[in-house]
Amino acid sequence: MSLVTDTLSADRAEAVARAQAQPGLADVADYLALLKPRVMSLVVFTALVGLVRAGGDLHPVLAFTALLCIAIGAGAAGALNMWWDADIDAKMARTRGRPVPAGRIAPGEALAFGLVLAVAAVTMLGLFVGALAAALLAFTIFFYAVVYTMWLKRWTAQNIVIGGAAGALPPVIAWASATGTIGLESLVLFLIVFFWTPPHFWALALLRSDDYARAGVPMLPVVAGADETRRQILLYAAILAPLGVAPAWLGFAGMLYGLVAAALGVAFLALAFEVYRRRRGESAAAAARRLFAFSILYLFLLFAALLIEAMMR
Amino acid sequence: MEHEQKGIVLTEEQRRRRQRRSIALALVLALLALLFYVVTIVKLGPQVMNRPL
């Protein structure tokens, strides 16, 4: 209860006051921003790959509906995250322009928007596609909005490690949409995104640790220091590189994917090692920036290779 | 007789934004109705017509 009381504090009251003082300021773009479109694009892409790899005999219209519901569900989780985190967002340079801390949308509006979209996405997926997929989508939204946003994010430096499960579930939801089951291949895709998340976010956190410290978010660089973060980035990269090749080892994917995944894994590991080695000054920041940028390309190319292979079959 | 304006008076920009929000909402609802129609046909197929009158 104290967590609730603390969070509904002066910062949020200020955000409400700002939004009420400027009625009607929200534009369509502000509501779209609440959906975290960049995160959504990653979610949709990994889900699309899960859907295509699963095969099955799902009608294309229902496949599109499944992707739409997963996208809306991800957007709903983003809106609920922005509602709860308005006080933190207001303190960080990267996020203070978001619609709620900037006062263009009142926190209550963001909450209502997120809840309506979450209920709509889960209901539509359940009625049109399948119960298992809908249950997984509901769990994902709950995990991101409640377990990660309300609990883990402000409590532990392992926040994005455990919370990363929410971002890794979309291929599993898509797989369940196509087949009605959870296949081993979808779990391997889950693990790839799950182990990709910490080095991706910690590379960014190394660059923004002052921001996180000011907002009181216990990210790993703030709590354990930059050097420990660099060590853990290298550790996760060492797990991720062979895991990325696993679909080829396990026989799910072919030679093309295996080669692409191996090359990308080596590059990821090399950049993580650079982050580990360069610890001071501008070269350290440049190494973290390179790893962060490459991590996005890594995941995109890995899943694109899976998609291309499936389409060539 | 001149009417005195009461309550919140929106600026021109606020009016424009409200109009854009309304149009976006109308489009979303129209697309949703279309999606429900198409999904119903896909799921039920010709059986959608096969019911007692």
Side-chain angles (χ1 to χ4, degrees):
Chain A
M1 190 64 199
S2 69
L3 180 67
V4 175
T5 320
D6 289 350
T7 316
L8 291 170
S9 60
D11 293 318
R12 183 158 306 162
E14 269 177 42
V16 176
R18 274 198 301 274
Q20 284 170 348
Q22 313 174 74
L25 259 188
D27 208 338
V28 176
D30 291 317
Y31 285 94
L32 291 178
L34 279 185
L35 304 176
K36 296 197 173 182
R38 273 187 294 184
V39 177
M40 191 196 276
S41 64
L42 179 72
V43 164
V44 169
F45 184 59
T46 56
L48 171 70
V49 174
L51 203 62
V52 173
R53 297 289 311 191
D57 53 358
L58 195 64
H59 191 282
V61 170
L62 298 181
F64 168 78
T65 307
L67 281 181
L68 182 69
C69 291
I70 294 169
I72 296 171
L80 294 171
N81 168 276
M82 286 205 205
W83 158 67
W84 187 262
D85 277 349
D87 54 339
I88 292 178
D89 288 347
K91 290 177 186 160
M92 294 177 38
R94 186 173 68 91
T95 52
R96 70 169 60 113
R98 285 178 174 175
V100 180
R104 295 190 299 277
I105 291 181
E109 289 172 326
L111 170 64
F113 188 58
L115 285 177
V116 167
L117 291 184
V119 171
V122 172
T123 307
M124 275 169 58
L125 194 61
L127 288 174
F128 296 160
V129 180
L132 178 63
L136 283 168
L137 181 63
F139 175 75
T140 305
I141 298 169
F142 172 80
F143 198 85
Y144 186 77
V146 177
V147 178
Y148 168 70
T149 302
M150 295 183 188
W151 180 38
L152 295 170
K153 186 171 177 180
R154 295 167 196 241
W155 177 61
T156 170
Q158 295 300 307
N159 48 15
I160 50 120
V161 178
I162 309 166
L169 275 167
V172 185
I173 304 171
W175 192 282
S177 300
T179 64
T181 60
I182 299 173
L184 180 60
E185 187 176 348
S186 73
L187 291 178
V188 173
L189 297 182
F190 168 87
L191 286 176
I192 290 173
V193 183
F194 183 77
F195 280 96
W196 166 87
T197 306
H200 168 73
F201 273 105
W202 284 335
L204 176 70
L206 278 175
L207 298 164
R208 309 274 185 186
S209 62
D210 289 349
D211 241 11
Y212 284 117
R214 196 165 41 248
V217 180
M219 291 297 282
L220 195 61
V222 177
V223 174
D227 287 352
E228 175 60 18
T229 306
R230 291 187 174 95
R231 197 181 70 81
Q232 294 217 23
I233 285 176
L234 189 58
L235 186 71
Y236 275 90
I239 298 170
L240 179 65
L243 192 61
V245 191
W249 282 347
L250 294 168
F252 302 141
M255 181 71 89
L256 169 73
Y257 172 82
L259 290 172
V260 169
L264 287 170
V266 169
F268 198 108
L269 205 51
L271 288 171
F273 187 71
E274 277 300 290
V275 171
Y276 180 73
R277 205 167 61 86
R278 298 179 191 275
R279 301 184 171 207
R280 299 281 174 270
E282 181 47 37
S283 68
R289 265 196 299 275
R290 271 197 299 274
L291 178 63
F292 178 72
F294 180 77
S295 66
I296 298 168
L297 187 68
Y298 172 87
L299 201 66
F300 173 75
L301 290 178
L302 208 64
F303 276 75
L306 280 173
L307 187 64
I308 290 166
E309 262 198 3
M311 289 165 80
M312 280 164 47
R313 267 193 238 155
Chain B
M1 194 173 121
E2 241 178 64
H3 290 284
E4 215 175 285
Q5 284 187 316
K6 285 179 183 168
I8 295 167
V9 180
L10 297 182
T11 63
E12 214 31 59
E13 177 60 18
Q14 285 169 327
R15 269 181 216 284
R16 266 197 298 274
R17 288 182 183 206
R18 185 175 63 179
Q19 190 181 30
R20 282 201 290 266
R21 290 200 302 270
S22 303
I23 291 169
L25 196 55
L27 283 174
V28 167
L29 288 173
L31 290 174
L32 210 53
L34 180 67
L35 180 71
F36 287 180
Y37 176 78
V38 174
V39 168
T40 304
I41 298 297
V42 165
K43 282 191 83 76
L44 298 181
Q47 293 301 315
V48 75
M49 304 299 289
N50 188 12
R51 62 195 173 102
L53 291 172

